[in-house]
Amino acid sequence: MPAEISPESTAYRAALDVIRAVEPRVADAIGQEVADQREMLKLIASENYASPATLLAMGNWFSDKYAEGTIGRRFYAGCRNVDTVESLAAEHARELFGARHAYVQPHSGIDANLVAFWAVLGARVEVPFLEKTGARQVNDLTDADWAELRQAFGNQRMLGMSLDAGGHLTHGFRPNISGKMFDQRSYGTDPATGLIDYEALRASAREFKPLIIVAGYSAYPRLVNFRIMREIADEVGATLMVDMAHFAGLVAGKVLTGDFDPVPHAQIVTTTTHKSLRGPRGGMVLCDDSLKDQVDRGCPMVLGGPLPHVMAAKAVALAEARRPAFQDYAQRIVDNARALAEGLTKRGATLVTGGTDNHLNLIDVASSYGLTGRQAEAALLDSGIVTNRNAIPADPNGAWYTSGIRIGTPALTTRGLGTAEMDEVAGLIDRVLTATEPGTTKSGAPSKASHVLDAKVADEISHRATDLVAGFPLYPEIDLG
Ligand SMILES: *Cc1c(COP(=O)(O)O)cnc(C)c1O
């Protein structure tokens, strides 16, 4: 008797047939992508696997709607169903995170940060300026006043976490627009412990007097005390903004609570929805009442028209995150990261800060294995292990080659791998990196870019990695036939 075909398999087979009839190469690429993902040992800390319900919510007629404006106040007609899904996503977000207000339109984490920066500039620079001049809105300002206000927008200060300590480019660094908008200074970590140095941060904030203090990270393996951050922000009259793009799933899953939950402490919190939160690609802003009206101006202030199909998928993913099973998932992410840390440490690897409290670890591959991050990343990829290189504090190899490998557990935890498998994963990583040597340049000098790894070792580890994940099928409910 043939096995019963699941509704998910039926849905995807039919969808691929419809696509195949128009452009078969796209249907094939979609099929190949899921096949590749099934074989990968994915340790990229910012990636995950969204549920079929979340993915399916994105492929439909909502994609055709323009919906500029906010719920119930649109610049376009015919938005009642968009209002429904945007309201649902916002309601789930408020309930899940205990936030006063949720804005679910941002298309990505970077977009959410831009909305947040301009909400703070609106509330703290534009509104007081309008009050001072007696104008009701910017269009009523004289040319001279408008010029003065534009100067004021461009002369604000931001304090953000330094890149090599794990901060993000959008926290005021020059290659990103945030660095071109703000006069930025960064705070880092204590060289002795690798932990955020709150007293140094406080001293810097007192001296610099920033408009915004940004907390949050992409590559910091420890907890951040947001109660202390808010205390410092209040002391210097700054707005505390937390970018929880990486760890939103741990907040949603109640692993990060009290001082470590940013939502009760920060005036404004931004996030992606596709990392540990496991939703569709996208962003979101949570805020208190003081910034709500400004945040809702995100589109058309800095965002293009909202993506209603993605907001529908956000509503589905946030509904999933409100289920008790998600709390269990979040706890397993952290247990797995810790098991990975222990497995690596006992094999002699050095981890930045010596371990982890969240979903990620940062291996110092320069001091552990004499490799650059780039060499380690490539050697691991040769061996079927997908990671990414990352700078470490005071990185001797700079931001391009780096000395770190960042590994995260949200994706493997979604597949069901547990702490015993994490020890095996640690063993595979250690085997590869121990067997890898730096390459040499044409003139025979040591290279920071190329590496040498015996193909037999790469092949053997690659097979072991594939066998390991094969025991934890990705999307077991989906069989494309
Ligand atoms: C990933 C990340 C972002 C950017 O998210 P995108 O969706 O890629 O725009 C912003 N901030 C932090 C801290 C991140 O880790």
Side-chain angles (χ1 to χ4, degrees):
M1 205 177 75
E4 215 173 296
I5 294 183
S6 70
E8 289 87 353
S9 299
T10 309
Y12 275 104
R13 286 184 194 186
L16 288 176
D17 283 345
V18 172
I19 296 166
R20 191 167 290 114
V22 180
E23 174 46 290
R25 290 169 295 185
V26 170
D28 290 348
I30 294 171
Q32 191 58 52
E33 181 61 23
V34 72
D36 289 355
Q37 298 243 6
R38 281 173 162 155
E39 290 209 340
M40 270 180 213
L41 188 75
K42 182 154 91 173
L43 286 164
I44 294 182
S46 51
E47 291 191 8
N48 211 327
Y49 301 107
S51 73
T54 295
L55 297 175
L56 283 166
M58 277 186 282
N60 57 66
W61 303 271
F62 275 130
S63 172
D64 296 332
K65 268 310 292 171
Y66 247 111
E68 207 173 293
T70 50
I71 303 160
R73 286 191 70 233
R74 306 283 182 188
F75 293 89
Y76 288 81
C79 290
R80 66 178 184 153
N81 301 310
V82 177
D83 281 353
T84 300
V85 295
E86 184 170 354
S87 302
L88 280 170
E91 182 190 318
H92 283 314
R94 286 193 307 271
E95 293 290 327
L96 178 62
F97 292 107
R100 293 286 300 172
H101 184 64
Y103 181 66
V104 298
Q105 291 185 10
H107 312 327
S108 74
I110 289 191
D111 292 12
N113 285 350
L114 261 183
V115 170
F117 298 148
W118 280 100
V120 176
L121 289 170
R124 299 200 48 198
V125 177
E126 182 173 309
V127 168
F129 189 86
L130 291 176
E131 278 166 8
K132 186 183 82 181
T133 56
R136 271 190 53 245
Q137 47 142 329
V138 285
N139 287 333
D140 301 336
L141 291 172
T142 63
D143 287 350
D145 283 345
W146 176 234
E148 189 184 329
L149 177 57
R150 291 201 308 111
Q151 290 291 329
F153 282 141
N155 282 296
Q156 301 301 322
R157 290 186 291 269
M158 166 183 290
L159 188 62
M161 192 170 191
S162 70
L163 280 180
D164 69 356
H168 194 261
L169 211 59
T170 58
H171 300 176
F173 296 93
R174 291 178 188 181
N176 178 259
I177 188 153
S178 56
K180 303 179 205 290
M181 281 162 55
F182 289 97
D183 175 11
Q184 197 259 25
R185 189 181 281 188
S186 28
Y187 59 89
T189 47
D190 180 338
T193 59
L195 305 178
I196 293 174
D197 183 343
Y198 296 100
E199 286 322 304
L201 199 169
R202 189 188 303 271
S204 175
R206 277 182 185 155
E207 188 193 306
F208 189 50
K209 298 213 177 343
L211 182 78
I212 304 178
I213 296 180
V214 185
Y217 55 79
S218 306
Y220 180 67
R222 295 295 182 173
L223 302 175
V224 178
N225 189 316
F226 299 111
R227 182 184 50 76
I228 299 179
M229 298 286 276
R230 176 61 185 264
E231 204 179 273
I232 296 170
D234 283 350
E235 195 185 315
V236 301
T239 299
L240 177 62
M241 167 178 159
V242 178
D243 178 352
M244 64 171 181
H246 255 261
F247 54 91
L250 305 185
V251 179
K254 315 294 179 223
V255 171
L256 299 180
T257 57
D259 291 355
F260 310 112
D261 174 355
V263 182
H265 301 291
Q267 285 99 334
I268 190 159
V269 175
T270 58
T271 186
T272 59
T273 46
H274 50 275
K275 298 184 183 175
S276 56
L277 194 52
R278 207 163 65 180
R281 297 204 77 78
M284 199 161 69
V285 181
L286 308 173
C287 66
D288 64 15
D289 290 332
S290 71
L291 292 168
K292 171 175 179 294
D293 293 343
Q294 298 288 334
V295 164
D296 280 348
R297 291 178 195 173
C299 168
M301 168 86 99
V302 295
L303 299 177
L307 310 173
H309 54 308
V310 180
M311 293 197 288
K314 286 173 183 170
V316 172
L318 289 163
E320 288 172 347
R322 289 184 66 190
R323 293 179 177 170
F326 196 86
Q327 298 191 9
D328 174 57
Y329 167 62
Q331 186 57 52
R332 285 187 293 114
I333 291 176
V334 176
D335 293 344
N336 279 343
R338 209 162 275 153
L340 205 43
E342 280 163 18
L344 286 162
T345 308
K346 79 177 184 207
R347 289 173 175 89
T350 304
L351 301 179
V352 173
T353 77
T356 180
D357 295 320
N358 57 22
H359 63 296
L360 68 86
N361 280 291
L362 205 54
I363 313 172
D364 177 349
V365 293
S367 60
S368 315
Y369 302 100
L371 300 170
T372 63
R374 188 171 146 141
Q375 289 160 337
E377 174 193 84
L380 289 166
L381 191 64
D382 290 349
S383 315
I385 301 172
V386 191
T387 64
N388 65 278
R389 66 184 187 277
N390 208 102
I392 64 172
D395 201 307
N397 289 314
W400 175 250
Y401 294 111
T402 80
S403 303
I405 284 288
R406 187 182 69 163
I407 50 177
T409 52
L412 290 184
T413 306
T414 294
R415 289 187 79 141
L417 281 79
T419 51
E421 290 76 33
M422 290 304 124
D423 188 58
E424 276 185 62
V425 171
L428 298 182
I429 293 173
D430 179 66
R431 241 330 271 299
V432 173
L433 298 182
T434 304
T436 304
E437 300 279 334
T440 44
T441 62
K442 276 192 195 115
S443 61
S447 162
K448 287 187 179 206
S450 66
H451 70 283
V452 183
L453 171 63
D454 183 31
K456 278 212 294 274
V457 176
D459 217 45
E460 182 215 317
I461 301 288
S462 198
H463 279 107
R464 283 178 56 192
T466 308
D467 286 350
L468 180 62
V469 292
F472 299 86
L474 178 63
Y475 301 118
E477 68 277 52
I478 296 173
D479 170 8
L480 296 182

